[in-house]
Amino acid sequence: PARVYLAGRIGAMLAVGGIVLGKFSILSSSVIADSILMLAVGLDLVTTSLALAPRLSEERAMRTQAQNALDQEKVSSKRQLESRIAEQTRRLLEENRELSRLSLTDALTGLPNRRALTESFAREAARAKAAGQPLSIALLDVDHFKRFNDTHGHAAGDQCLRVVAREIRQHLPRTGDLAVRWGGEEFCLLLPNTHLDGALIVVERVRLAIQ
């Protein structure tokens, strides 16, 4: 492009030189001078256009490339932002589920706590009433726990409650049954669709396991 532009400039300069020579009567005809001038101007325009065309095309391609790169960067940034938002949302949901689980769990024994029993009892009572099914609930108390605690210490008392909770959990016959730490040394069993006779069998099995 530079050589083409230079050729046009040289042609224009030669034309101007010819016109100057015509003014000094070195070239005899002014018509020839005018023709040369028009030809020079046309040649200059053509060569200038030819010289600038690749540059303009290159700049256009560079702008297109830059725009494409910008668009890709926007898409990538949007995907990264969406991915971070999704990951943060997932973590928040997991943390909320964990907090909800902890709020319904007794920290010492790992059993559900009284709040969990309240929610489950309301749900199971409504279901039993609607289906016309029995619902049994049993309260368990560890005998002489205060004396055991005073004699062997609080650490041993905590271990005793954990063992009791483990035995209760292992000897419930169905997954729908619920064992809860009611508070202190008291525990509670919620037995859906269970008659009194069946509940007595369950709690006797638990009592013997603990004994």
Side-chain angles (χ1 to χ4, degrees), residues 40-189:
V41 171
L43 180 62
D44 189 31
L45 290 175
V46 170
T47 54
T48 301
S49 298
L50 292 175
L52 292 179
R55 180 60 180 172
L56 293 176
S57 178
E58 181 182 355
E59 289 183 354
R60 192 180 305 112
M62 291 174 62
R63 285 198 300 269
T64 301
Q65 183 179 4
Q67 184 63 45
N68 291 337
L70 180 61
D71 293 341
Q72 292 178 358
E73 181 65 24
K74 288 181 179 178
V75 171
S76 177
S77 299
K78 181 180 179 182
R79 289 177 178 172
Q80 291 178 2
L81 179 60
E82 290 175 347
S83 177
R84 287 197 297 267
I85 292 175
E87 178 62 21
Q88 291 176 356
T89 302
R90 184 187 63 80
R91 285 203 302 266
L92 286 174
L93 289 175
E94 289 181 352
E95 291 173 359
N96 287 336
R97 282 194 293 267
E98 181 64 14
L99 288 174
S100 178
R101 186 189 68 81
L102 292 175
S103 69
L104 300 174
T105 303
D106 176 61
L108 177 63
T109 63
L111 291 178
N113 57 21
R114 185 182 296 197
R115 179 183 173 187
L117 175 64
T118 302
E119 295 182 3
S120 296
F121 180 75
R123 182 174 60 252
E124 293 298 337
R127 183 182 302 170
K129 182 178 181 180
Q133 296 175 344
L135 175 65
S136 293
I137 189 167
L139 290 173
L140 291 76
D141 175 85
V142 180
D143 291 341
H144 312 299
F145 180 73
K146 184 178 184 305
R147 186 173 64 189
F148 178 89
N149 217 26
D150 293 341
T151 302
H152 301 285
H154 292 287
D158 290 346
Q159 180 62 17
C160 172
L161 293 176
R162 283 192 287 266
V163 170
V164 170
R166 183 192 65 202
E167 295 301 324
I168 293 174
R169 189 163 40 219
Q170 289 181 353
H171 288 84
L172 288 185
R174 302 170 305 180
T175 57
D177 297 335
L178 180 68
V180 172
R181 186 184 179 194
W182 181 256
E185 74 276 20
E186 295 177 333
F187 297 84
C188 182
L189 305 182

